[in-house]
Amino acid sequence: MTRLQPITDRPAGDEPGGVEPGPDTRAPAPSRTTVRPAHVAIAILFAGALWVATTPVNDLDSYWHVPIGREILQRHGFTGLGQQWLGVPRGDWRTSQWLSEVLMYLSVDRFGWVALPVLRLLTGGALFAVLVLTLVWRRQLIASFVVLLVVVVGLEVLLQDRPQTVSLVFVALLGAACERLWAVGRRPPLLLVAGLSLLWAQLHGLWVLGPAAFGLVAVGALLDRSRARPGQARDALLCAAASLAGVVNPEGPLSFLLPFTFRNSAGNRINEWAPTAFTMSLTVCWGLLLCLVVWGWVHARTRIAATELLWVFAWTVFGVLAVRNVGPSTLFIAPVALRALERAGEIRLGRLTKAVSPRESRILAGILVAVTAATAILLTVALRGMDPLENAPALRIARFLDSVDRPLRIWDGYNASGVLVAFGGGERGHLKLVVDGRADLWGGHYIERLITTQSVAGDWRQDFASFHADAMVMPPDTPLVTYLREVDDWQVAQADGSYVLLVPPGSPLLQGR
């Protein structure tokens, strides 16, 4: 770490009236109409990310989010949702993302299931637009590209058909707003903070990160004491108070307990809640981003603000706690990584910033337009030829069960439950399931009990018999499936990819094959 020195008061690149980081003689600020090679490279990066994200429906929970959205509109309420497909008694359940689910239902109802991949791409486009405004506009372009390369490649796996994806857009805005609050003294308008928090709270439960993030900036001001920018603590506390507008949602103040509820419900059985390990692109890129921050700090010629140190430490710990936290942590740390690179490499990066002539700028602008147009055309063609349900698990089994003329009790696999709800008649109560994808409804104890039963361990026979299943929809290599086939003479009525429909001897479902 460098020796302590007063924080520089040189304008940052995104400060009002500031220029692109670096001495004016080495890195002159480009005009607003200048297009540089880095702009084209960033556009190609975004285009590639959207192309990779153009896939059939890629989140299993989306299949029950859509029926929940329909039920909200039909009942004009947020409580007691999804009871009709439950084969075991459970308590009341409220959704923490009602507006996302309503929008998902309305889109699917109007355009079919291909609407979910379209919404995913639109959300990804919105995220990239925010990243351009916060990490590209009036910033050192080489540093911006390096940071964006790591961020976009890492976040690619999080572009999914789920309400949490829209939270990435809000987290990107929040992270940039907080970083600018302590770095350049720019406070976002309080009405805007309150309005966005209120909207975010209806779309997804991660809105609670808003008060926490602004609170961290206020604590950082106390640690920086006299070296903090004037008014940092006051402005951060005002923003934190404004962001509490999000408490106006169906969960109310209980929203702040939702992360703990989900964590306790998921236990170690749901991958996204597992402790973070550097075994996937998301976590590896997050680790690289942290390395960029540390490199920038080591090579900085100015004192690193205590707020910045606290910010990176807090969100790193947050990211380590669970895999699902890594995406928000990446977006929170990205603005710090960019400014660290700008501080540490301003002279070198300035020398690498090649002047662009008006003719070259026009050529690059043409390439930029061509990349944008080609991306739009390719995505449109891909969406038109896509089967959005190509990857839906046990879809053929679900449609067969939907055609049966009597209600059925189904011992189902956790990952197949959404498809059984949406396509097997679960939504209208035709199927009664032993579990669905709402971990917060079931709790960790119940999910662990199901896993024990399906593993043929403990008091599994009594637990299985008490459900009175008419059929089972499970992967064929599940120990319980193997036992029922080999010992109790259950038979496979239908095989569907990685799932089988297993029924007891003499079941009427065997006649419908």
Side-chain angles (χ1 to χ4, degrees):
M1 208 62 70
T2 58
R3 62 187 178 89
L4 296 181
Q5 296 177 347
I7 298 176
T8 179
D9 58 0
R10 184 176 64 81
D14 59 349
E15 187 175 10
V19 296
E20 185 175 299
D24 291 341
T25 56
R26 297 186 184 275
S31 67
R32 293 186 178 182
T33 57
T34 300
V35 179
R36 294 176 176 268
H39 289 121
V40 176
I42 291 170
I44 293 173
L45 174 65
F46 289 160
L50 291 176
W51 174 254
V52 173
T54 307
T55 65
V57 175
N58 63 5
D59 184 72
L60 299 175
D61 288 343
S62 60
Y63 297 112
W64 61 259
H65 282 306
V66 171
I68 290 292
R70 177 189 286 115
E71 191 175 351
I72 290 172
L73 290 179
Q74 291 175 343
R75 296 179 50 186
H76 305 289
F78 307 109
T79 60
L81 299 170
Q83 291 287 333
Q84 63 273 24
W85 60 72
L86 300 185
V88 294
R90 303 307 293 177
D92 190 17
W93 180 83
R94 286 193 301 270
T95 178
S96 59
Q97 49 218 358
W98 72 271
L99 185 54
S100 291
E101 288 161 338
V102 167
L103 292 175
M104 291 172 72
Y105 161 66
L106 291 175
S107 300
V108 170
D109 184 59
R110 177 65 178 85
F111 301 105
W113 286 90
V114 74
L116 295 189
V118 172
L119 289 176
R120 182 202 319 153
L121 294 178
L122 291 176
T123 305
L127 172 62
F128 296 158
V130 170
L131 294 179
V132 167
L133 292 175
T134 57
L135 301 181
V136 177
W137 180 252
R138 302 180 70 178
R139 305 302 293 264
Q140 217 299 326
L141 288 177
I142 295 177
S144 292
F145 176 75
V146 172
V147 172
L148 284 176
L149 179 63
V150 175
V151 170
V152 172
V153 172
L155 295 182
E156 176 67 39
V157 297
L158 298 183
L159 297 182
Q160 301 174 344
D161 306 308
R162 60 190 308 183
Q164 185 180 348
T165 304
V166 76
S167 274
L168 298 178
V169 181
F170 288 91
V171 171
L173 285 169
L174 176 63
C178 288
E179 193 270 344
R180 292 184 181 190
L181 183 57
W182 83 72
V184 300
R186 177 184 293 176
R187 189 195 75 188
L190 296 180
L191 285 178
L192 180 62
V193 172
L196 290 177
S197 295
L198 182 61
L199 174 61
W200 189 2
Q202 318 313 313
L203 292 167
H204 192 253
L206 273 183
W207 75 272
V208 298
L209 295 179
F214 286 118
L216 268 180
V217 179
V219 173
L222 298 178
L223 296 176
D224 275 322
R225 298 181 182 178
S226 60
R227 292 187 175 91
R229 289 186 175 274
Q232 176 181 320
R234 181 194 66 247
D235 289 343
L237 290 175
L238 286 174
C239 289
S243 65
L244 288 175
V247 80
V248 183
N249 71 82
E251 289 286 340
L254 293 177
S255 298
F256 294 99
L257 300 179
L258 282 176
F260 305 100
T261 301
F262 280 107
R263 179 67 184 89
N264 294 334
S265 299
N268 296 321
R269 296 296 184 175
I270 299 179
N271 291 335
E272 63 179 335
W273 284 103
T276 300
F278 294 92
T279 56
M280 55 188 297
S281 59
L282 171 64
T283 53
V284 169
C285 288
W286 178 61
L288 291 175
L289 187 68
L290 292 173
C291 290
L292 289 177
V293 173
V294 173
W295 183 91
W297 285 348
V298 170
H299 291 83
R301 297 178 298 168
T302 59
R303 174 186 174 272
I304 306 302
T307 306
E308 186 168 315
L309 296 171
L310 174 65
W311 180 267
V312 174
F313 174 77
W315 294 120
T316 299
V317 172
F318 177 72
V320 167
L321 293 177
V323 174
R324 67 175 286 133
N325 296 344
V326 173
S329 175
T330 297
L331 290 170
F332 278 134
I333 294 174
V336 176
L338 175 57
R339 201 173 299 274
L341 289 182
E342 290 173 335
R343 281 194 305 252
E346 58 182 3
I347 295 179
R348 291 192 184 95
L349 293 175
R351 289 172 178 171
L352 293 174
T353 305
K354 179 180 178 293
V356 177
S357 68
R359 179 174 178 274
E360 291 173 327
S361 180
R362 288 193 294 271
I363 293 174
L364 291 171
I367 297 175
L368 194 62
V369 171
V371 169
T372 304
T375 302
I377 293 172
L378 289 174
L379 295 183
T380 301
V381 171
L383 289 169
R384 288 177 64 88
M386 175 187 295
D387 175 9
L389 302 177
E390 179 180 345
N391 299 327
L395 179 60
R396 191 157 56 90
I397 291 175
R399 286 173 169 163
F400 168 71
L401 294 176
D402 187 46
S403 67
V404 177
D405 59 1
R406 65 184 181 89
L408 299 168
R409 296 179 62 81
I410 306 296
W411 187 285
D412 60 298
Y414 188 91
N415 289 338
S417 60
V419 173
L420 294 174
V421 169
F423 302 101
E427 183 180 359
R428 67 177 192 275
H430 176 66
L431 299 184
K432 299 294 184 179
L433 307 180
V434 72
V435 71
D436 64 11
R438 296 175 289 176
D440 55 324
L441 169 66
W442 302 102
H445 176 73
Y446 183 83
I447 293 176
E448 189 66 31
R449 183 177 165 186
L450 282 182
I451 298 297
T452 300
T453 301
Q454 290 160 193
S455 301
V456 193
D459 194 12
W460 70 270
R461 184 171 285 280
Q462 180 178 346
D463 289 339
F464 178 71
S466 65
F467 182 70
H468 304 291
D470 295 308
M472 174 180 289
V473 179
M474 295 286 292
D477 57 352
T478 304
L480 180 57
V481 172
T482 302
Y483 182 93
L484 292 177
R485 291 185 65 185
E486 295 180 356
V487 178
D488 289 352
D489 296 324
W490 284 47
Q491 301 179 51
V492 175
Q494 193 171 108
D496 186 2
S498 58
Y499 284 84
V500 294
L501 173 63
L502 198 68
V503 298
S507 170
L509 297 178
L510 292 171
Q511 302 172 6
R513 288 186 296 178

